Amino acid sequence: MSVMRWSKLLSSRRIRSDGSVEPQIQDEPPLRTDFQRDADRILFSPAFRRLKDKTQVFPLPENDLIHSRLTHSNEVAVIGRSLGFAVGREIAARHGEDPNRSWAQDCADVVCAACLSHDIGNPPFGHSGEDAIGRYFRGDGAQALLRSAGLSERQLLDLTRFEGNAQGFRILTRLHDEPRFGMRLTAATLAAFSKYPRESGDDLADPQVVFLKKPGFFQSERTVFSTVAEEVGLLPGVGPGLRFARHPLAYLVEAADDIAYCILDLEDGLRLQLVPRQKGLLALRAVAEKAPHFAPPEDDETNDVVEYLRARAIKQLLIETQQAFMDCEASILAGTFQKGLLDCVPSAQLLRSIRGLSETYCYSSRAVLEIELAGYRLLGELLAELVPAAVKTASDRCQHEHKLLRLLPRIPDETTAYDRVLR
């Protein structure tokens, strides 16, 4: 049976936006590892800084302690780094990997970089924004326009089933610093970032397999993803289209994100007094009290107890997630593991209870619903103005359409209509 190999999965070769592998040149003393350089490139990118203006759950909060996408991404990276370090240490001990390589540090750095960028492609208003974009492109007018422009069926699906993870892969590999081959991250970081290693198409979807639920790259990045998959040795999927087994460290990235939003969204809900205090504290305590050396503050009327329970709950989930990964490592490397790691931890049911509180009191709060509905309508109206202008070439656009496109980054007319719409 074919299995993925850790020595190949942690490839530090850099991938360019055209799908080529960058030549390795060592012309100066290394100040950082290749994977630490990935994290720095992401952290300093304009796309990452834009996350500060995107809400995590609660819109435009007056309380500056509430999470934005930027603070959420930084916290996911810290959780992911801890998971990567713990798993990397176990990998080296279990497999007797190259003793001259710091497996724990490399795994920590790859997961940290992938976690930093995990939301970088999310549109405004999160999943509601994705739905708004897809709904516009599924409309009769947009369909007629795009079919007349010659888009293929899978290209149309990239738009009608718009997915923020695929947009994130596009940003990391192409849109940032595009004239110079994109961000040029390592193959390991790009593969660990890729939560859904498949192209668009209902013939590839499988809701029972966690990494086949959604597309993870657009047709425009198909060649780039193929290079990444080959470089790290992802196992190809059986059946039509381009699909692969998930990179093992992508499970840690997903778990870090799930831990962060599950625990920290509830903390935000408690701070904003949306979640009934005793219900929230009891839900957090049920996980936190299983952590080593649990000793909560006596006064549960302050935010100190919330912060303590949050910290201990995350600690316990780190312990359980690392153990779940090592227990399932054989099936993960064989590409047959089909669930998320948090579905396998002892606290899985407790986490579902915490998510239930957030769904009831946070995600369905009036303020959240109002901004999502307004954003849904706004995105549809913007696309109705911009997409017809982008599909046309410069000679066919009216003066109003030229002005519209001046508000966006330059869209080269020599590209296809599909590429211009994706810009």
Side-chain angles (χ1 to χ4, degrees):
M1 181 177 66
S2 297
V3 296
M4 293 178 275
R5 303 292 180 187
W6 283 110
S7 56
K8 193 169 178 64
L9 287 165
L10 292 177
S11 169
S12 61
R13 304 283 300 277
R14 297 193 174 277
I15 309 301
R16 292 173 164 176
S17 60
D18 62 357
S20 63
V21 178
E22 187 164 278
Q24 292 182 306
I25 301 174
Q26 188 73 345
D27 56 358
E28 59 185 39
L31 301 175
R32 304 157 291 174
T33 69
D34 287 307
F35 306 130
Q36 288 169 349
R37 187 176 291 118
D38 283 348
D40 292 350
R41 290 184 181 186
I42 293 163
L43 190 68
F44 281 95
S45 69
F48 184 75
R49 291 196 296 276
R50 290 191 194 104
L51 293 174
K52 92 178 165 59
D53 293 322
K54 295 180 180 178
T55 58
Q56 171 64 10
V57 175
F58 302 103
L60 306 175
E62 294 180 5
N63 187 333
D64 59 8
L65 295 178
I66 303 304
H67 291 84
S68 68
R69 285 281 172 181
L70 184 67
T71 51
H72 167 74
S73 296
N74 280 313
E75 289 170 346
V76 172
V78 171
I79 294 170
R81 183 182 63 199
S82 297
L83 282 173
F85 189 86
V87 165
R89 186 172 51 197
E90 292 294 321
I91 287 167
R94 177 177 289 187
H95 298 287
E97 298 283 3
D98 182 358
N100 296 317
R101 179 172 193 169
S102 177
W103 292 93
Q105 189 63 59
D106 283 351
C107 287
D109 291 339
V110 168
V111 176
C112 178
C115 285
L116 275 176
S117 57
H118 82 281
D119 271 350
I120 208 165
N122 279 17
F125 314 109
H127 293 306
S128 181
E130 289 175 330
D131 292 343
I133 293 170
R135 180 175 182 269
Y136 166 77
F137 284 112
R138 289 192 296 273
D140 292 341
Q143 283 285 299
L145 178 68
L146 296 174
R147 289 184 184 279
S148 67
L151 272 70
S152 70
E153 287 302 314
R154 290 204 193 274
Q155 287 174 336
L156 285 169
L157 285 171
D158 284 345
L159 302 172
T160 60
R161 310 281 177 83
F162 182 85
E163 170 57 41
N165 289 280
Q167 178 67 7
F169 189 79
R170 180 173 171 79
I171 289 171
L172 294 177
T173 58
R174 182 181 300 272
L175 296 185
H176 178 84
D177 202 16
E178 187 169 20
R180 291 184 290 178
F181 296 111
M183 203 177 290
R184 308 185 323 282
L185 301 180
T186 63
T189 293
L190 289 171
F193 165 85
S194 300
K195 190 174 181 180
Y196 306 111
R198 71 165 180 89
E199 63 183 335
S200 58
D202 290 337
D203 54 337
L204 288 90
D206 186 343
Q208 303 305 313
V209 180
V210 66
F211 56 83
L212 293 179
K213 293 196 297 185
K214 301 177 183 179
F217 55 91
F218 296 133
Q219 292 301 297
S220 53
E221 283 70 57
R222 197 176 190 273
T223 299
V224 182
F225 196 89
S226 295
T227 302
V228 170
E230 181 179 1
E231 185 60 36
V232 299
L234 298 186
L235 296 176
V238 178
L242 192 66
R243 55 179 165 182
F244 299 89
R246 185 187 269 182
H247 190 288
L249 295 183
Y251 287 99
L252 299 184
V253 175
E254 179 184 53
D257 182 28
D258 289 349
I259 290 170
Y261 87 72
C262 187
I263 301 300
L264 296 166
D265 287 358
L266 182 64
E267 181 185 11
D268 284 350
L270 286 167
R271 285 186 180 277
L272 293 173
Q273 298 181 351
L274 293 173
V275 177
R277 187 171 180 83
Q278 288 307 310
K279 283 187 177 181
L281 292 182
L282 286 173
L284 279 177
R285 186 184 180 110
V287 179
E289 66 186 5
K290 298 197 292 181
H293 314 299
F294 177 76
E298 293 182 3
D299 182 4
D300 66 357
E301 296 302 319
T302 68
N303 282 327
D304 289 347
V305 70
V306 178
E307 293 174 3
Y308 180 83
L309 292 176
R310 174 255 294 159
R312 304 315 295 173
I314 290 175
K315 171 69 174 179
Q316 179 60 24
L317 292 171
L318 286 173
I319 294 170
E320 293 183 16
T321 303
Q322 181 243 350
Q323 187 59 54
F325 184 95
M326 298 313 300
D327 290 345
C328 302
E329 187 206 13
S331 59
I332 289 172
L333 291 176
T336 58
F337 187 69
Q338 299 183 349
K339 299 185 290 187
L341 287 175
L342 292 189
D343 294 324
C344 304
V345 300
S347 296
Q349 184 56 49
L350 298 176
L351 281 174
R352 284 191 281 272
S353 297
I354 291 175
R355 289 193 190 104
L357 286 176
S358 294
E359 289 169 0
T360 299
Y361 296 105
C362 299
Y363 308 150
S364 299
S365 68
R366 186 176 183 87
V368 170
L369 294 176
E370 285 178 347
I371 198 69
E372 283 188 354
L373 291 171
Y376 192 93
R377 179 177 178 182
L378 174 62
L379 285 175
E381 291 176 352
L382 283 172
L383 289 169
E385 289 283 331
L386 293 169
V387 171
V391 169
K392 296 177 184 177
T393 59
S395 59
D396 293 329
R397 292 180 194 127
C398 67
Q399 190 65 26
H400 173 67
E401 290 169 330
H402 279 293
K403 290 180 179 178
L404 280 173
L405 294 185
R406 290 194 191 108
L407 298 174
L408 304 177
R410 180 178 173 271
I411 301 177
D413 281 318
E414 60 271 17
T415 58
T416 66
Y418 166 73
D419 287 322
R420 293 199 297 275
V421 170
L422 275 182
R423 295 294 270 206

